[in-house]
């Protein structure tokens, strides 16, 4: 004979898992953002150097393009509190806007990766600026800098 109550309890637990370690989630996503920051800086530095090396763009654009599609997953419900996070509550109260900001970035990173596969440095520069614009757009709306 099936006992409905324990089964229901199990289903409820499965449907709404509590975030066990928000601090770990926050740390992991900040590490990913730091890697993105390093990638952007490495590419920006190439343009300041005089003779940009396409290989540097290929490597770093690939990093951004690899991380970008996963970005929304770095913000599970319950990971918005804690002294160290700069994530604004709007991420969870305006999920559509946040998803759009993430998608804009992913599209820009993809276009940058495509440009970096070619040899047109000017096109890479334009794609890099566009990508930087999508970082800033999301930060303006969803990140509160504390440090
Ligand atoms: C869709 C939104 C979004 C996009 C796009 C985005 N960021 Fe962020 N970024 C955030 C949020 C939110 C935080 C704060 C995370 C936290 O503290 O928990 C953050 C934090 C950071 C940090 C600080 C990490 C730390 O704590 O040391 C850096 C650096 C960063 N982002 C760089 C970038 C770069 C570079 C890009 C683009 C290539 C980018 N971000 C794109 C939302 C975004």
């Amino acid at each position: 004979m099936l006992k409905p109550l324990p089964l229901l309890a199990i289903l409820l637990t499965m449907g709404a898992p509590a975030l066990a370690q928000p601090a770990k989630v926050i740390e992991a996503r900040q590490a990913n953002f730091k890697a993105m920051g390093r990638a952007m800086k490495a590419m920006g530095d190439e343009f300041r150097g005089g003779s940009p090396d396409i290989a540097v763009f290929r490597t770093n654009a690939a990093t951004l393009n690899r991380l970008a599609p996963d970005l929304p997953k770095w913000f599970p419900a319950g990971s918005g509190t804690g002294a160290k996070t700069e994530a604004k509550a709007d991420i969870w109260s305006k999920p559509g806007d946040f998803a759009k900001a993430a998608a804009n970035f992913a599209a820009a990173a993809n276009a940058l990766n495509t440009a970096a596969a070619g040899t047109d440095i000017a096109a890479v520069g334009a794609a890099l600026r566009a990508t930087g614009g999508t970082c800033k757009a999301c930060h303006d709306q969803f990140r509160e800098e504390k440090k």
Side-chain angles (χ1 to χ4, degrees):
M1 169 86 186
L2 195 73
K3 291 182 184 138
L5 217 61
L7 181 63
L8 184 67
I10 289 165
L11 288 176
L12 284 175
T13 319
M14 285 168 63
L19 197 59
Q21 291 179 303
K24 286 229 151 102
V25 172
I26 291 166
E27 224 173 83
R29 79 172 163 239
Q30 289 176 341
N32 283 332
F33 280 125
K34 282 191 184 104
M36 281 165 45
R38 281 193 301 271
M40 287 300 282
K41 185 178 183 302
M43 289 187 277
D45 286 351
E46 279 308 300
F47 279 107
R48 278 180 278 281
S51 59
D53 177 0
I54 193 76
V56 173
F57 297 113
R58 285 192 187 143
T59 306
N60 290 288
T63 298
L64 293 183
N65 196 37
R66 176 174 52 80
L67 292 171
D70 285 340
L71 192 155
K73 291 187 221 148
W74 305 344
F75 294 88
S79 69
T81 48
K84 293 210 179 125
T85 184
E86 298 183 340
K88 281 194 187 172
D90 283 359
I91 291 169
W92 296 276
S93 66
K94 297 176 182 166
D97 290 353
F98 187 68
K100 194 160 195 293
N104 288 342
F105 163 56
N110 196 260
L112 174 61
N113 196 46
T114 302
T119 52
D120 183 347
I121 293 288
V124 172
L128 182 61
R129 274 190 300 280
T131 302
T134 65
C135 308
K136 186 180 184 306
C138 188
H139 290 170
D140 286 351
Q141 206 179 349
F142 295 108
R143 178 186 176 195
E144 177 183 28
E145 281 200 60
K146 292 179 179 170
K147 53 201 178 223

